Amino acid sequence: CAPQRIRQDDATLGAQSAREAALLAQTHWQLSGRIAVSNGDDGGNADVEWQQQRDRYDLRLRAPVTGKNWRLHGDARSATLEGAREQALHGSNAAELLAREVNWQLPVNELEYWVRGLRAPGPRAELVFDAQQRPATLQQSGWTIEYRDYFSDREPALPRKVFATKGKHRVRLFIESWQVQ
Amino acid sequence: ETARARLDAFAKGLQSVSAGFEQTVFDANDKPGKKTSGTLAVQAPRQFRWDVSKPYEQQIVADGMHVWIYDPDLEQVTVRSQSVEEAHSPLTVLTDLAQLDRDFAASEQGEHDGLSWLRLKSKAKEPEFEYADFGFACADAAKKTCGGAVVLQRMLFKDTLGNRTETRFSDWQRNPKLAADRFTFTPPPGVDVIGEVKPGAEVHPLND
């Protein structure tokens, strides 16, 4: 039978706010897993290590076949991409830099929230919940994020499988491990 | 006996090869990270397979025209044309020494850890990696000179950001009888395929 889905109401939104407060208090976290990004006609796979300290992000991506490596790091106002060209490339934000330099659509600053099952600050978000009152689907800024699996051995639960789409753009993330301080 | 001599002996008459692998990635400060294991197969001139079985499943198949990557956890197959991908992979040189000398500069790295080491540096303008080191042993461990029976035991791969990938090989099979469809990838039913396959791209191994 299809998994139970609950629309957002006072109870589920209350649970989500409590969840967000608890997770936002953990300002240092790290995930390790695999990511696939595609724009509908072609796509790329990579191993991903994502370290976050407050608003500082540090993403390391490694392609499986060639072992090609990229590193994307910065904060809310700056982004640096290493490994795409001989010299490092800079931009004001990660998503714009990736789109410009390697034609990848990766909303990094929002994913920082979405990957933990949180609403990103700013535009309104629409949520649908699962039976344990955890986000099953989150829609925000034109993206639809599906939470297909969670690590339920921790409280609050953190996602294990995050599939995001926006039109023909697609970001799929399988998280092998979380470290949270 | 130089490492190059051992590579030549290893690659001599090698049309196809298969082996087991264990791979560990070390970051720039040598901290060990992800460890994976599985099997690989290479067939002249441009086909190879890299199947991860632990700790997750992932299949990478280069069929001569395309590179297919199937990741069951991501419930998706991505496919890209092979020309870009395989030209940069040190793996395919094992069955195509002509490509090795065309795409890479080889230099002796001497003996350590009981192996004789050869370094390959890519000649590409913007190489995808710093270098790849091949560590060769004699098939008969007691021997000092291998007399043609050589085993590639380790490969060390340094990328442009200073990470190091250490691969240990085991159970080499020389010119094994590989199933005809070993290097053909058929997406499992119901799984999304991302990327285009050039229609009618027939695969003809170019046995020169």
Side-chain angles (χ1 to χ4, degrees):
Chain A
C1 66
Q4 193 201 348
R5 289 293 174 260
I6 312 165
R7 297 216 59 79
Q8 53 185 43
D9 57 27
D10 296 347
T12 47
L13 281 176
Q16 177 65 7
S17 303
R19 210 172 153 278
E20 285 173 348
L23 284 172
L24 288 172
Q26 294 161 344
T27 54
H28 288 39
W29 54 265
Q30 179 178 336
L31 71 84
S32 170
R34 280 162 283 131
I35 190 169
V37 180
S38 66
N39 54 23
D41 353 330
D42 62 49
N45 288 55
D47 292 341
V48 56
E49 304 285 333
W50 185 331
Q51 285 173 5
Q52 188 83 26
Q53 289 179 357
R54 299 191 188 290
D55 67 349
R56 297 198 56 71
Y57 55 86
D58 187 346
L59 267 77
R60 295 159 192 274
L61 298 153
R62 188 179 168 281
V65 176
T66 61
K68 176 125 183 51
N69 244 261
W70 299 271
R71 182 175 174 226
L72 177 65
H73 53 98
D75 55 29
R77 288 164 308 285
S78 77
T80 302
L81 177 62
E82 295 168 42
R85 299 283 182 286
E86 285 289 312
Q87 77 294 356
L89 303 163
H90 302 284
S92 58
N93 86 46
E96 171 264 325
L97 184 60
L98 276 178
R100 189 181 83 216
E101 293 299 338
V102 285
N103 190 17
W104 269 24
Q105 284 288 329
L106 195 61
V108 177
N109 297 105
E110 289 98 336
L111 260 176
E112 177 194 318
Y113 296 88
W114 294 342
V115 84
R116 292 178 288 165
L118 310 177
R119 293 168 287 189
R124 229 176 63 75
E126 272 294 313
L127 280 156
V128 173
F129 294 87
D130 65 15
Q132 289 91 355
Q133 298 196 325
R134 302 170 308 195
T137 316
L138 188 158
Q139 288 179 307
Q140 193 172 23
S141 315
W143 285 87
T144 300
I145 301 101
E146 264 183 83
Y147 297 96
R148 298 262 184 116
D149 194 10
Y150 276 89
F151 287 93
S152 14
D153 54 359
R154 51 182 342 145
E155 204 32 59
L158 282 167
R160 184 198 305 267
K161 224 178 197 182
V162 181
F163 286 7
T165 52
K166 176 176 184 179
K168 57 185 174 63
H169 295 287
R170 176 189 280 222
V171 177
R172 290 193 163 190
L173 196 60
F174 182 84
I175 297 157
E176 286 149 22
S177 67
W178 282 98
Q179 272 98 41
V180 175
Q181 265 104 33
Chain B
E1 194 183 40
T2 65
R4 176 63 199 236
R6 288 190 176 178
L7 168 65
D8 293 346
F10 180 80
K12 189 161 170 292
L14 198 63
Q15 268 298 313
S16 62
V17 69
S18 68
F21 72 81
E22 263 182 25
Q23 191 170 72
T24 308
V25 183
F26 297 82
D27 70 13
N29 343 334
D30 235 12
K31 185 162 83 62
K34 185 177 284 237
K35 202 190 275 288
T36 52
S37 61
T39 59
L40 74 121
V42 184
Q43 177 160 292
R46 307 159 46 96
Q47 297 178 317
F48 70 84
R49 269 196 88 111
W50 186 271
D51 292 312
V52 177
S53 50
K54 280 201 288 293
Y56 53 82
E57 213 199 293
Q58 185 180 65
Q59 286 166 21
I60 301 172
V61 178
D63 64 15
M65 294 294 293
H66 299 92
V67 176
W68 304 81
I69 300 178
Y70 172 44
D71 191 318
D73 288 327
L74 295 176
E75 299 169 32
Q76 177 176 294
V77 170
T78 55
V79 55
R80 270 193 309 277
S81 69
Q82 178 171 343
S83 52
V84 174
E85 293 290 331
E86 56 86 24
H88 305 283
S89 147
L91 260 182
T92 45
V93 296
L94 294 178
T95 58
D96 186 350
L97 281 185
Q99 185 215 339
L100 181 146
D101 292 319
R102 199 175 54 239
D103 291 354
F104 300 99
S107 60
E108 296 290 327
Q109 299 298 310
E111 304 259 335
H112 58 84
D113 302 334
L115 304 176
S116 150
W117 291 85
L118 186 73
R119 174 161 297 178
L120 300 185
K121 275 182 92 88
S122 168
K123 292 179 180 171
K125 198 167 62 57
E126 275 185 0
E128 304 241 316
F129 58 93
E130 209 49 44
Y131 58 77
D133 285 356
F134 284 161
F136 293 98
C138 295
D140 172 350
K143 281 198 176 153
K144 259 280 156 257
T145 51
C146 302
V150 174
V151 169
L152 170 62
Q153 228 167 57
R154 279 170 55 192
M155 180 169 86
L156 189 147
F157 189 93
K158 198 82 182 288
D159 68 40
T160 50
L161 296 178
N163 305 301
R164 179 168 56 90
T165 304
E166 178 81 44
T167 309
R168 284 180 185 281
F169 298 104
S170 57
D171 183 24
W172 281 102
Q173 307 287 326
R174 291 179 65 83
N175 295 328
K177 234 200 108 354
L178 294 172
D181 62 1
R182 187 85 161 80
F183 298 101
T184 313
F185 184 81
T186 319
V191 174
D192 292 342
V193 178
I194 299 287
E196 10 64 49
V197 176
K198 303 205 175 39
E202 282 310 307
V203 174
H204 305 291
L206 327 159
N207 288 338
D208 38 33

